[in-house]
Structures are given as C-alpha cells and as structure tokens.
Amino acid sequence: MLRKLLIGTALASGLAFAAHAEDVKEVQMLHWWTSGGEAAALNVLKGDLAKEGYAWKDVPVAGGGGDAAMTALKAMVAAGNYPTASQMLGYTVLDYAAAGVMGDLTETAKKEGWDKSVPAALQKFSVYDGKWVAAPVNVHSVNWLWINKAVLDKIGGTEPKTFDDFVALLDKAKAAGVIPLALGGQNWQEATMFDSVVLSTGGPEFYKKAFNDLDDESLKSDTMKKSFDNLAKLVTYVDPNFSGRDWNLATAMVIKGDALVQVMGDWAKGEFHAANKTPGTDFLCYRFPGTDGSVIYNSDMFGMFNVPDDRKAAQVALATATLSKSFQSAFNVVKGSVPARTDVPDTDFDACGKKGIADLKAANEGGTLFGSLAQGYGAPPAVANAYKDVVSKFVHGQIKTSDEAVTELVKAIDDAK
Ligand code: BGC
C-alpha cells in the first residue's frame, strides 16, 4: 500500500520521469585488454554503446591473464567502488557472486533468451544461485599453434600431428637459424602452454581428471611427470630473452618471422588480424599436436556488479549489447575468439575462426570440451595460482626435475584447495 502510494505520488509529481532522466549514461569497465588486437576488439563495444548514448569510462589494467587486473578489482570492490562491469574468468565470477557483490541480470537474460542461446558450459559460470550475474563475451581456446607460413615453407615443414612431429619441426627451425618457439616467460603464459602439453601427453580423460576434477592419482601420476618432461623439451627451443616477455610481443615475433611458432590462446589471432595478416597465406592455426578433437576453453565474462540504481540502466545496455548476435560476430572476428552464443553464423569469420566455431561445437557435443586450468576454468583462483607458480618455477629452473615438479604440484594444489 505504502509502495503504491509512493509510486502514485512520484508519478503525479513527475518524479519518476525525473529519476529516469538522471540515469548515469556511462559504463565503467575494468579489463586487461591492452594489446593492439584487444584494443581493436574493445573499440567495437565502445562504438556500439556510443550509438546508444553511453560514454565509456575505461579502467584498463595491463597484464595478460588478468592477474594484475584482478588485484585492482579486489581493491575497488573492498572500497565499495564497484565498476559497472569487469572482465573476469570463470571461477572468479563465482567467487564474487558468493561474496554477494554482484548484480542480477536475470530479467534482461529472460527478455533476451540467454538461457537458450548461451552454452551450458558458460552458464555454469555466469549464473549463480539461479541469477545471471555475468554476460559471457566470447569463447577462447588455448590448445592452438600459431605458425608463420613463410618460415614454415622456408624450412620445408608441415603440420605436426604428434608431439614428436612437433619436436622434429622445432629442430628444423633451429637448424635454419630461426627462433623455433616464441614464448613469454610469465607464469600464466607458461601454464597456458602446459595445459596443452598435458592434454597432448595424457589425452582428454587424463586432462579432465587432473585439471578439472583435481584427481590426486592423476596429478601425481607418471603421465604428469611425462608432461613435465615434454614441457622441459619445449623450453629448450625458446630464445634466451624470453623471461618476462609479454604474450603479444611473442606473437609479434611470429608475425615478423623472427620465430616459427607460438603456443597460445586464440587471442593471438587478434594480433595477426590487427596486423592485417590472413590465415592460410601469412599464418597458420593448427591444434596443438595430439589434441585434435578436444578444446580447452576459457571465456571472458563481464561480471556485473550490484551498482547503484542510477547506473543500472547502463549496465543493462552493456549486457544487452554484449550478447546481441551482431556484436557477438563483429567483436569475436576482431578478438580471435568465437561467439558465446550457439546461434551466430560463422559467415564473417576467417578460416581459423570457422574452425574454432566448428571445433567448439564438436567438442561440446562429444564431451571433449574442458576448462583451462591456467585460464580460470579448471578450478578456483587459489588452485590456478598455485598451478601457475609451480609450472613457472619449473620453466625457470627453480624446480629442477619432473619428479620434483610433480611433488610440488600435488602439494601446492592440496594446500590451495
Ligand atoms: C583473456 C583474453 C586476453 C588474454 C591476454 C586471457 O585471459 O581471456 O581475452 O586476450 O588473456 O590478455
């Protein structure tokens, strides 16, 4: 009764319209999209929102994988200063939702039919307690090789189908005086590559058990030890200046032909795209040898915070734009990822994008779609961080043997659980 009365009074006095007019026409977004390809993709979103009259308040925090961004977000949220939305990966969304700081986009989700168009693997991380708390932007996949075609042709190489083929190919590049493997020596890049090595070494069931189920037997198995052996082998093909290098600089080495190949998520394709390079002509995208048929995925989500009422309209506009079919195509073509909806045509995507879309569909239907442990979709952040730390210590020689690496991994994951 009181509520009705208040609404009645507000309407009568025109206050309801005044309140609406006071909506803040601005989207404040925290993200780590600072490379050339990432910035180009973000511009698609800024442009779409600008058309609807929303200003963009950028909160960029550089650092691939998002560790620095997540530290910045934690400080903002602790201070009660919620952004409209933040780029987030998988389990981090669930952590913030459990802390009770996320908004509720369920009404928008219903209106837009997200339940039907967003794959279940993503809904697991964007819906909490029955409420939509995040808008998935894309699906990335990490088990890819990015190869400079001219260099491959020059050394007389072909697509490596097994790990041994891959090693033979890297040897050829080395013999020709080209840097075989472009790697950035940062823990998240090393662990992202190791995700693929584990899938290739142990196969799909093993990857799932070890890196999604955190099964102890798998984590401490000989197969895990063999995976570390394989990682050690790959690291022998990296140039001496790799420590601390940003991922996009490693991609640039391949684009320029200074290096043959990078093992990286398909955000690397965003860099090729930004450099006007064409798949099949300038570069090649192959699945990491021995992982054909499986997809290790992550998805960028815009986690939606419980912002004040005058900022909610902007948040709904952002969420609606993010999951619109046209944006899903335009953005992901530039970003290197594939749509977070199952009903977006692949028409505008290049050959790698078309393959990414088809692979994702097949893996989803065949039960070979797995969350990336390095990229926040295998286990909660504490476990993922423990994993990245052990892999990096191994790559940089602080952990000396594969045996030791396995022992440290089991211990670190156990402590973090
Ligand atoms: C994100 C990508 C981003 C990459 C490098 C990943 O964690 O999912 O969107 O391009 O980090 O910054």
Side-chain angles (χ1 to χ4, degrees), residues 205-238:
E205 261 315 296
F206 180 77
Y207 182 91
K208 179 178 178 296
K209 271 196 181 155
F211 281 2
N212 289 175
D213 305 340
L214 304 183
D215 167 55
D216 219 43
E217 288 306 311
S218 309
L219 287 169
K220 63 181 185 213
S221 65
D222 284 348
T223 309
M224 188 56 77
K225 181 172 168 278
K226 175 85 181 134
S227 303
F228 276 106
D229 289 344
N230 285 342
L231 176 63
K233 183 75 195 163
L234 290 187
V235 173
T236 65
Y237 295 101
V238 166

PDB file of all heavy atoms in Angstrom, residues 205-238:
ATOM      1  N   GLU A 205      40.714 -37.702 -21.300  1.00  0.00           N
ATOM      2  CA  GLU A 205      40.258 -38.176 -19.984  1.00  0.00           C
ATOM      3  C   GLU A 205      41.232 -37.752 -18.889  1.00  0.00           C
ATOM      4  O   GLU A 205      40.842 -37.350 -17.794  1.00  0.00           O
ATOM      5  CB  GLU A 205      40.133 -39.709 -20.001  1.00  0.00           C
ATOM      6  CG  GLU A 205      38.718 -40.199 -20.205  1.00  0.00           C
ATOM      7  CD  GLU A 205      37.700 -39.451 -19.332  1.00  0.00           C
ATOM      8  OE1 GLU A 205      37.790 -39.566 -18.083  1.00  0.00           O
ATOM      9  OE2 GLU A 205      36.842 -38.727 -19.877  1.00  0.00           O
ATOM     10  N   PHE A 206      42.524 -37.873 -19.222  1.00  0.00           N
ATOM     11  CA  PHE A 206      43.555 -37.520 -18.247  1.00  0.00           C
ATOM     12  C   PHE A 206      43.497 -36.033 -17.917  1.00  0.00           C
ATOM     13  O   PHE A 206      43.558 -35.634 -16.748  1.00  0.00           O
ATOM     14  CB  PHE A 206      44.949 -37.907 -18.767  1.00  0.00           C
ATOM     15  CG  PHE A 206      46.038 -37.546 -17.788  1.00  0.00           C
ATOM     16  CD1 PHE A 206      46.256 -38.337 -16.658  1.00  0.00           C
ATOM     17  CD2 PHE A 206      46.813 -36.409 -17.962  1.00  0.00           C
ATOM     18  CE1 PHE A 206      47.238 -37.990 -15.722  1.00  0.00           C
ATOM     19  CE2 PHE A 206      47.793 -36.063 -17.032  1.00  0.00           C
ATOM     20  CZ  PHE A 206      48.006 -36.857 -15.917  1.00  0.00           C
ATOM     21  N   TYR A 207      43.370 -35.207 -18.961  1.00  0.00           N
ATOM     22  CA  TYR A 207      43.307 -33.758 -18.716  1.00  0.00           C
ATOM     23  C   TYR A 207      42.155 -33.434 -17.766  1.00  0.00           C
ATOM     24  O   TYR A 207      42.311 -32.703 -16.787  1.00  0.00           O
ATOM     25  CB  TYR A 207      43.146 -32.965 -20.029  1.00  0.00           C
ATOM     26  CG  TYR A 207      43.121 -31.474 -19.760  1.00  0.00           C
ATOM     27  CD1 TYR A 207      44.287 -30.729 -19.766  1.00  0.00           C
ATOM     28  CD2 TYR A 207      41.929 -30.829 -19.427  1.00  0.00           C
ATOM     29  CE1 TYR A 207      44.282 -29.370 -19.458  1.00  0.00           C
ATOM     30  CE2 TYR A 207      41.908 -29.478 -19.113  1.00  0.00           C
ATOM     31  CZ  TYR A 207      43.082 -28.746 -19.134  1.00  0.00           C
ATOM     32  OH  TYR A 207      43.063 -27.410 -18.807  1.00  0.00           O
ATOM     33  N   LYS A 208      41.007 -34.030 -18.060  1.00  0.00           N
ATOM     34  CA  LYS A 208      39.818 -33.738 -17.254  1.00  0.00           C
ATOM     35  C   LYS A 208      40.024 -34.155 -15.796  1.00  0.00           C
ATOM     36  O   LYS A 208      39.759 -33.393 -14.869  1.00  0.00           O
ATOM     37  CB  LYS A 208      38.596 -34.436 -17.845  1.00  0.00           C
ATOM     38  CG  LYS A 208      37.332 -34.191 -17.059  1.00  0.00           C
ATOM     39  CD  LYS A 208      36.117 -34.851 -17.696  1.00  0.00           C
ATOM     40  CE  LYS A 208      34.882 -34.624 -16.843  1.00  0.00           C
ATOM     41  NZ  LYS A 208      34.956 -35.259 -15.516  1.00  0.00           N
ATOM     42  N   LYS A 209      40.510 -35.369 -15.635  1.00  0.00           N
ATOM     43  CA  LYS A 209      40.693 -35.873 -14.271  1.00  0.00           C
ATOM     44  C   LYS A 209      41.692 -35.024 -13.489  1.00  0.00           C
ATOM     45  O   LYS A 209      41.461 -34.672 -12.340  1.00  0.00           O
ATOM     46  CB  LYS A 209      41.214 -37.312 -14.331  1.00  0.00           C
ATOM     47  CG  LYS A 209      40.122 -38.365 -14.371  1.00  0.00           C
ATOM     48  CD  LYS A 209      40.798 -39.661 -14.038  1.00  0.00           C
ATOM     49  CE  LYS A 209      40.029 -40.885 -14.013  1.00  0.00           C
ATOM     50  NZ  LYS A 209      40.918 -42.049 -14.259  1.00  0.00           N
ATOM     51  N   ALA A 210      42.815 -34.716 -14.139  1.00  0.00           N
ATOM     52  CA  ALA A 210      43.868 -33.984 -13.431  1.00  0.00           C
ATOM     53  C   ALA A 210      43.487 -32.520 -13.217  1.00  0.00           C
ATOM     54  O   ALA A 210      43.577 -32.010 -12.102  1.00  0.00           O
ATOM     55  CB  ALA A 210      45.178 -34.084 -14.204  1.00  0.00           C
ATOM     56  N   PHE A 211      43.024 -31.846 -14.300  1.00  0.00           N
ATOM     57  CA  PHE A 211      42.936 -30.385 -14.253  1.00  0.00           C
ATOM     58  C   PHE A 211      41.518 -29.829 -14.065  1.00  0.00           C
ATOM     59  O   PHE A 211      41.356 -28.636 -13.870  1.00  0.00           O
ATOM     60  CB  PHE A 211      43.585 -29.789 -15.509  1.00  0.00           C
ATOM     61  CG  PHE A 211      45.097 -29.747 -15.414  1.00  0.00           C
ATOM     62  CD1 PHE A 211      45.769 -30.254 -14.303  1.00  0.00           C
ATOM     63  CD2 PHE A 211      45.859 -29.182 -16.436  1.00  0.00           C
ATOM     64  CE1 PHE A 211      47.157 -30.208 -14.200  1.00  0.00           C
ATOM     65  CE2 PHE A 211      47.246 -29.134 -16.341  1.00  0.00           C
ATOM     66  CZ  PHE A 211      47.894 -29.641 -15.230  1.00  0.00           C
ATOM     67  N   ASN A 212      40.505 -30.693 -14.151  1.00  0.00           N
ATOM     68  CA  ASN A 212      39.156 -30.218 -13.840  1.00  0.00           C
ATOM     69  C   ASN A 212      38.645 -30.881 -12.555  1.00  0.00           C
ATOM     70  O   ASN A 212      38.026 -30.253 -11.718  1.00  0.00           O
ATOM     71  CB  ASN A 212      38.176 -30.484 -14.982  1.00  0.00           C
ATOM     72  CG  ASN A 212      38.423 -29.589 -16.203  1.00  0.00           C
ATOM     73  OD1 ASN A 212      37.780 -29.738 -17.227  1.00  0.00           O
ATOM     74  ND2 ASN A 212      39.357 -28.652 -16.117  1.00  0.00           N
ATOM     75  N   ASP A 213      38.943 -32.186 -12.399  1.00  0.00           N
ATOM     76  CA  ASP A 213      38.487 -32.880 -11.192  1.00  0.00           C
ATOM     77  C   ASP A 213      39.522 -32.817 -10.073  1.00  0.00           C
ATOM     78  O   ASP A 213      39.233 -33.212  -8.948  1.00  0.00           O
ATOM     79  CB  ASP A 213      38.180 -34.361 -11.503  1.00  0.00           C
ATOM     80  CG  ASP A 213      37.182 -34.514 -12.646  1.00  0.00           C
ATOM     81  OD1 ASP A 213      36.459 -33.534 -12.934  1.00  0.00           O
ATOM     82  OD2 ASP A 213      37.115 -35.609 -13.254  1.00  0.00           O
ATOM     83  N   LEU A 214      40.745 -32.393 -10.372  1.00  0.00           N
ATOM     84  CA  LEU A 214      41.863 -32.344  -9.412  1.00  0.00           C
ATOM     85  C   LEU A 214      42.068 -33.695  -8.730  1.00  0.00           C
ATOM     86  O   LEU A 214      42.326 -33.771  -7.525  1.00  0.00           O
ATOM     87  CB  LEU A 214      41.634 -31.227  -8.377  1.00  0.00           C
ATOM     88  CG  LEU A 214      41.408 -29.818  -8.919  1.00  0.00           C
ATOM     89  CD1 LEU A 214      41.258 -28.813  -7.777  1.00  0.00           C
ATOM     90  CD2 LEU A 214      42.545 -29.365  -9.838  1.00  0.00           C
ATOM     91  N   ASP A 215      41.963 -34.744  -9.522  1.00  0.00           N
ATOM     92  CA  ASP A 215      42.125 -36.102  -9.020  1.00  0.00           C
ATOM     93  C   ASP A 215      43.595 -36.339  -8.622  1.00  0.00           C
ATOM     94  O   ASP A 215      44.501 -36.195  -9.451  1.00  0.00           O
ATOM     95  CB  ASP A 215      41.686 -37.072 -10.126  1.00  0.00           C
ATOM     96  CG  ASP A 215      42.094 -38.496  -9.846  1.00  0.00           C
ATOM     97  OD1 ASP A 215      41.733 -39.001  -8.769  1.00  0.00           O
ATOM     98  OD2 ASP A 215      42.790 -39.095 -10.688  1.00  0.00           O
ATOM     99  N   ASP A 216      43.777 -36.717  -7.374  1.00  0.00           N
ATOM    100  CA  ASP A 216      45.119 -36.851  -6.802  1.00  0.00           C
ATOM    101  C   ASP A 216      46.000 -37.850  -7.559  1.00  0.00           C
ATOM    102  O   ASP A 216      47.161 -37.578  -7.857  1.00  0.00           O
ATOM    103  CB  ASP A 216      44.956 -37.302  -5.349  1.00  0.00           C
ATOM    104  CG  ASP A 216      45.961 -36.623  -4.455  1.00  0.00           C
ATOM    105  OD1 ASP A 216      46.159 -35.411  -4.623  1.00  0.00           O
ATOM    106  OD2 ASP A 216      46.565 -37.336  -3.626  1.00  0.00           O
ATOM    107  N   GLU A 217      45.392 -39.009  -7.861  1.00  0.00           N
ATOM    108  CA  GLU A 217      46.156 -40.064  -8.564  1.00  0.00           C
ATOM    109  C   GLU A 217      46.690 -39.539  -9.904  1.00  0.00           C
ATOM    110  O   GLU A 217      47.827 -39.819 -10.275  1.00  0.00           O
ATOM    111  CB  GLU A 217      45.257 -41.290  -8.830  1.00  0.00           C
ATOM    112  CG  GLU A 217      44.917 -42.100  -7.571  1.00  0.00           C
ATOM    113  CD  GLU A 217      46.158 -42.519  -6.796  1.00  0.00           C
ATOM    114  OE1 GLU A 217      47.094 -43.044  -7.430  1.00  0.00           O
ATOM    115  OE2 GLU A 217      46.209 -42.289  -5.565  1.00  0.00           O
ATOM    116  N   SER A 218      45.859 -38.805 -10.612  1.00  0.00           N
ATOM    117  CA  SER A 218      46.287 -38.274 -11.916  1.00  0.00           C
ATOM    118  C   SER A 218      47.365 -37.215 -11.735  1.00  0.00           C
ATOM    119  O   SER A 218      48.342 -37.178 -12.475  1.00  0.00           O
ATOM    120  CB  SER A 218      45.108 -37.662 -12.669  1.00  0.00           C
ATOM    121  OG  SER A 218      44.043 -38.570 -12.708  1.00  0.00           O
ATOM    122  N   LEU A 219      47.166 -36.370 -10.722  1.00  0.00           N
ATOM    123  CA  LEU A 219      48.141 -35.287 -10.516  1.00  0.00           C
ATOM    124  C   LEU A 219      49.522 -35.838 -10.198  1.00  0.00           C
ATOM    125  O   LEU A 219      50.526 -35.278 -10.595  1.00  0.00           O
ATOM    126  CB  LEU A 219      47.666 -34.344  -9.401  1.00  0.00           C
ATOM    127  CG  LEU A 219      46.494 -33.430  -9.769  1.00  0.00           C
ATOM    128  CD1 LEU A 219      45.936 -32.733  -8.532  1.00  0.00           C
ATOM    129  CD2 LEU A 219      46.901 -32.392 -10.809  1.00  0.00           C
ATOM    130  N   LYS A 220      49.555 -36.959  -9.468  1.00  0.00           N
ATOM    131  CA  LYS A 220      50.888 -37.467  -9.101  1.00  0.00           C
ATOM    132  C   LYS A 220      51.355 -38.623  -9.985  1.00  0.00           C
ATOM    133  O   LYS A 220      52.329 -39.309  -9.650  1.00  0.00           O
ATOM    134  CB  LYS A 220      50.913 -37.844  -7.618  1.00  0.00           C
ATOM    135  CG  LYS A 220      50.000 -38.953  -7.191  1.00  0.00           C
ATOM    136  CD  LYS A 220      50.180 -39.139  -5.671  1.00  0.00           C
ATOM    137  CE  LYS A 220      49.383 -40.315  -5.175  1.00  0.00           C
ATOM    138  NZ  LYS A 220      48.873 -40.138  -3.832  1.00  0.00           N
ATOM    139  N   SER A 221      50.704 -38.810 -11.125  1.00  0.00           N
ATOM    140  CA  SER A 221      50.988 -39.972 -11.987  1.00  0.00           C
ATOM    141  C   SER A 221      52.258 -39.804 -12.835  1.00  0.00           C
ATOM    142  O   SER A 221      52.790 -38.696 -12.984  1.00  0.00           O
ATOM    143  CB  SER A 221      49.813 -40.172 -12.939  1.00  0.00           C
ATOM    144  OG  SER A 221      49.741 -39.048 -13.796  1.00  0.00           O
ATOM    145  N   ASP A 222      52.677 -40.913 -13.419  1.00  0.00           N
ATOM    146  CA  ASP A 222      53.797 -40.879 -14.362  1.00  0.00           C
ATOM    147  C   ASP A 222      53.452 -40.048 -15.593  1.00  0.00           C
ATOM    148  O   ASP A 222      54.330 -39.460 -16.224  1.00  0.00           O
ATOM    149  CB  ASP A 222      54.142 -42.310 -14.820  1.00  0.00           C
ATOM    150  CG  ASP A 222      54.892 -43.052 -13.720  1.00  0.00           C
ATOM    151  OD1 ASP A 222      55.329 -42.393 -12.744  1.00  0.00           O
ATOM    152  OD2 ASP A 222      55.031 -44.288 -13.831  1.00  0.00           O
ATOM    153  N   THR A 223      52.163 -40.034 -15.940  1.00  0.00           N
ATOM    154  CA  THR A 223      51.750 -39.236 -17.105  1.00  0.00           C
ATOM    155  C   THR A 223      51.997 -37.749 -16.833  1.00  0.00           C
ATOM    156  O   THR A 223      52.409 -37.007 -17.735  1.00  0.00           O
ATOM    157  CB  THR A 223      50.259 -39.482 -17.419  1.00  0.00           C
ATOM    158  OG1 THR A 223      50.051 -40.892 -17.501  1.00  0.00           O
ATOM    159  CG2 THR A 223      49.835 -38.830 -18.701  1.00  0.00           C
ATOM    160  N   MET A 224      51.760 -37.322 -15.599  1.00  0.00           N
ATOM    161  CA  MET A 224      52.030 -35.915 -15.275  1.00  0.00           C
ATOM    162  C   MET A 224      53.533 -35.655 -15.326  1.00  0.00           C
ATOM    163  O   MET A 224      53.980 -34.615 -15.819  1.00  0.00           O
ATOM    164  CB  MET A 224      51.462 -35.578 -13.890  1.00  0.00           C
ATOM    165  CG  MET A 224      51.508 -34.105 -13.538  1.00  0.00           C
ATOM    166  SD  MET A 224      50.653 -33.050 -14.751  1.00  0.00           S
ATOM    167  CE  MET A 224      48.943 -33.342 -14.306  1.00  0.00           C
ATOM    168  N   LYS A 225      54.289 -36.645 -14.872  1.00  0.00           N
ATOM    169  CA  LYS A 225      55.749 -36.497 -14.910  1.00  0.00           C
ATOM    170  C   LYS A 225      56.214 -36.379 -16.380  1.00  0.00           C
ATOM    171  O   LYS A 225      57.020 -35.527 -16.730  1.00  0.00           O
ATOM    172  CB  LYS A 225      56.399 -37.706 -14.236  1.00  0.00           C
ATOM    173  CG  LYS A 225      57.893 -37.641 -14.205  1.00  0.00           C
ATOM    174  CD  LYS A 225      58.473 -38.759 -13.355  1.00  0.00           C
ATOM    175  CE  LYS A 225      59.960 -38.858 -13.557  1.00  0.00           C
ATOM    176  NZ  LYS A 225      60.372 -39.602 -14.745  1.00  0.00           N
ATOM    177  N   LYS A 226      55.642 -37.238 -17.207  1.00  0.00           N
ATOM    178  CA  LYS A 226      55.976 -37.203 -18.642  1.00  0.00           C
ATOM    179  C   LYS A 226      55.583 -35.838 -19.246  1.00  0.00           C
ATOM    180  O   LYS A 226      56.274 -35.296 -20.113  1.00  0.00           O
ATOM    181  CB  LYS A 226      55.231 -38.357 -19.341  1.00  0.00           C
ATOM    182  CG  LYS A 226      55.357 -38.416 -20.832  1.00  0.00           C
ATOM    183  CD  LYS A 226      56.619 -39.149 -21.268  1.00  0.00           C
ATOM    184  CE  LYS A 226      56.746 -39.182 -22.768  1.00  0.00           C
ATOM    185  NZ  LYS A 226      58.029 -38.862 -23.298  1.00  0.00           N
ATOM    186  N   SER A 227      54.475 -35.284 -18.774  1.00  0.00           N
ATOM    187  CA  SER A 227      54.048 -33.961 -19.266  1.00  0.00           C
ATOM    188  C   SER A 227      55.101 -32.911 -18.935  1.00  0.00           C
ATOM    189  O   SER A 227      55.416 -32.045 -19.769  1.00  0.00           O
ATOM    190  CB  SER A 227      52.714 -33.555 -18.639  1.00  0.00           C
ATOM    191  OG  SER A 227      51.724 -34.523 -18.903  1.00  0.00           O
ATOM    192  N   PHE A 228      55.638 -32.972 -17.723  1.00  0.00           N
ATOM    193  CA  PHE A 228      56.701 -32.023 -17.361  1.00  0.00           C
ATOM    194  C   PHE A 228      57.951 -32.263 -18.213  1.00  0.00           C
ATOM    195  O   PHE A 228      58.624 -31.317 -18.614  1.00  0.00           O
ATOM    196  CB  PHE A 228      57.025 -32.103 -15.864  1.00  0.00           C
ATOM    197  CG  PHE A 228      56.094 -31.270 -15.016  1.00  0.00           C
ATOM    198  CD1 PHE A 228      55.106 -31.865 -14.238  1.00  0.00           C
ATOM    199  CD2 PHE A 228      56.191 -29.880 -15.009  1.00  0.00           C
ATOM    200  CE1 PHE A 228      54.247 -31.093 -13.462  1.00  0.00           C
ATOM    201  CE2 PHE A 228      55.337 -29.098 -14.229  1.00  0.00           C
ATOM    202  CZ  PHE A 228      54.358 -29.712 -13.456  1.00  0.00           C
ATOM    203  N   ASP A 229      58.256 -33.552 -18.491  1.00  0.00           N
ATOM    204  CA  ASP A 229      59.393 -33.841 -19.394  1.00  0.00           C
ATOM    205  C   ASP A 229      59.163 -33.160 -20.745  1.00  0.00           C
ATOM    206  O   ASP A 229      60.077 -32.555 -21.320  1.00  0.00           O
ATOM    207  CB  ASP A 229      59.534 -35.356 -19.647  1.00  0.00           C
ATOM    208  CG  ASP A 229      60.045 -36.119 -18.420  1.00  0.00           C
ATOM    209  OD1 ASP A 229      60.571 -35.467 -17.485  1.00  0.00           O
ATOM    210  OD2 ASP A 229      59.895 -37.360 -18.390  1.00  0.00           O
ATOM    211  N   ASN A 230      57.952 -33.283 -21.247  1.00  0.00           N
ATOM    212  CA  ASN A 230      57.640 -32.683 -22.557  1.00  0.00           C
ATOM    213  C   ASN A 230      57.730 -31.158 -22.513  1.00  0.00           C
ATOM    214  O   ASN A 230      58.198 -30.523 -23.461  1.00  0.00           O
ATOM    215  CB  ASN A 230      56.258 -33.136 -23.039  1.00  0.00           C
ATOM    216  CG  ASN A 230      56.267 -34.584 -23.538  1.00  0.00           C
ATOM    217  OD1 ASN A 230      57.338 -35.140 -23.831  1.00  0.00           O
ATOM    218  ND2 ASN A 230      55.103 -35.203 -23.622  1.00  0.00           N
ATOM    219  N   LEU A 231      57.276 -30.585 -21.404  1.00  0.00           N
ATOM    220  CA  LEU A 231      57.386 -29.130 -21.261  1.00  0.00           C
ATOM    221  C   LEU A 231      58.863 -28.718 -21.265  1.00  0.00           C
ATOM    222  O   LEU A 231      59.246 -27.757 -21.950  1.00  0.00           O
ATOM    223  CB  LEU A 231      56.709 -28.674 -19.955  1.00  0.00           C
ATOM    224  CG  LEU A 231      56.841 -27.178 -19.631  1.00  0.00           C
ATOM    225  CD1 LEU A 231      56.168 -26.315 -20.688  1.00  0.00           C
ATOM    226  CD2 LEU A 231      56.242 -26.865 -18.244  1.00  0.00           C
ATOM    227  N   ALA A 232      59.678 -29.465 -20.527  1.00  0.00           N
ATOM    228  CA  ALA A 232      61.118 -29.153 -20.465  1.00  0.00           C
ATOM    229  C   ALA A 232      61.722 -29.198 -21.863  1.00  0.00           C
ATOM    230  O   ALA A 232      62.542 -28.350 -22.241  1.00  0.00           O
ATOM    231  CB  ALA A 232      61.827 -30.140 -19.542  1.00  0.00           C
ATOM    232  N   LYS A 233      61.278 -30.162 -22.646  1.00  0.00           N
ATOM    233  CA  LYS A 233      61.773 -30.281 -24.023  1.00  0.00           C
ATOM    234  C   LYS A 233      61.422 -29.014 -24.814  1.00  0.00           C
ATOM    235  O   LYS A 233      62.265 -28.441 -25.506  1.00  0.00           O
ATOM    236  CB  LYS A 233      61.143 -31.535 -24.661  1.00  0.00           C
ATOM    237  CG  LYS A 233      61.605 -31.850 -26.042  1.00  0.00           C
ATOM    238  CD  LYS A 233      63.007 -32.449 -26.042  1.00  0.00           C
ATOM    239  CE  LYS A 233      63.626 -32.433 -27.424  1.00  0.00           C
ATOM    240  NZ  LYS A 233      65.078 -32.625 -27.392  1.00  0.00           N
ATOM    241  N   LEU A 234      60.175 -28.576 -24.710  1.00  0.00           N
ATOM    242  CA  LEU A 234      59.752 -27.380 -25.461  1.00  0.00           C
ATOM    243  C   LEU A 234      60.574 -26.157 -25.070  1.00  0.00           C
ATOM    244  O   LEU A 234      60.937 -25.338 -25.923  1.00  0.00           O
ATOM    245  CB  LEU A 234      58.261 -27.092 -25.236  1.00  0.00           C
ATOM    246  CG  LEU A 234      57.263 -28.070 -25.860  1.00  0.00           C
ATOM    247  CD1 LEU A 234      55.843 -27.546 -25.675  1.00  0.00           C
ATOM    248  CD2 LEU A 234      57.550 -28.291 -27.347  1.00  0.00           C
ATOM    249  N   VAL A 235      60.861 -26.054 -23.781  1.00  0.00           N
ATOM    250  CA  VAL A 235      61.569 -24.862 -23.302  1.00  0.00           C
ATOM    251  C   VAL A 235      62.990 -24.769 -23.889  1.00  0.00           C
ATOM    252  O   VAL A 235      63.547 -23.674 -24.004  1.00  0.00           O
ATOM    253  CB  VAL A 235      61.565 -24.821 -21.748  1.00  0.00           C
ATOM    254  CG1 VAL A 235      62.430 -23.687 -21.213  1.00  0.00           C
ATOM    255  CG2 VAL A 235      60.138 -24.665 -21.238  1.00  0.00           C
ATOM    256  N   THR A 236      63.529 -25.892 -24.344  1.00  0.00           N
ATOM    257  CA  THR A 236      64.874 -25.828 -24.956  1.00  0.00           C
ATOM    258  C   THR A 236      64.842 -25.103 -26.310  1.00  0.00           C
ATOM    259  O   THR A 236      65.890 -24.788 -26.853  1.00  0.00           O
ATOM    260  CB  THR A 236      65.484 -27.247 -25.168  1.00  0.00           C
ATOM    261  OG1 THR A 236      64.681 -27.953 -26.127  1.00  0.00           O
ATOM    262  CG2 THR A 236      65.551 -28.038 -23.880  1.00  0.00           C
ATOM    263  N   TYR A 237      63.660 -24.846 -26.848  1.00  0.00           N
ATOM    264  CA  TYR A 237      63.549 -24.183 -28.158  1.00  0.00           C
ATOM    265  C   TYR A 237      63.227 -22.683 -28.056  1.00  0.00           C
ATOM    266  O   TYR A 237      62.918 -22.031 -29.051  1.00  0.00           O
ATOM    267  CB  TYR A 237      62.483 -24.882 -29.008  1.00  0.00           C
ATOM    268  CG  TYR A 237      62.882 -26.298 -29.355  1.00  0.00           C
ATOM    269  CD1 TYR A 237      62.353 -27.374 -28.648  1.00  0.00           C
ATOM    270  CD2 TYR A 237      63.821 -26.548 -30.351  1.00  0.00           C
ATOM    271  CE1 TYR A 237      62.724 -28.679 -28.939  1.00  0.00           C
ATOM    272  CE2 TYR A 237      64.210 -27.847 -30.658  1.00  0.00           C
ATOM    273  CZ  TYR A 237      63.664 -28.905 -29.941  1.00  0.00           C
ATOM    274  OH  TYR A 237      64.058 -30.178 -30.231  1.00  0.00           O
ATOM    275  N   VAL A 238      63.272 -22.181 -26.835  1.00  0.00           N
ATOM    276  CA  VAL A 238      62.925 -20.776 -26.608  1.00  0.00           C
ATOM    277  C   VAL A 238      64.204 -19.932 -26.644  1.00  0.00           C
ATOM    278  O   VAL A 238      65.273 -20.421 -26.290  1.00  0.00           O
ATOM    279  CB  VAL A 238      62.228 -20.706 -25.222  1.00  0.00           C
ATOM    280  CG1 VAL A 238      62.134 -19.298 -24.722  1.00  0.00           C
ATOM    281  CG2 VAL A 238      60.853 -21.364 -25.292  1.00  0.00           C
TER     282      VAL A 238
END
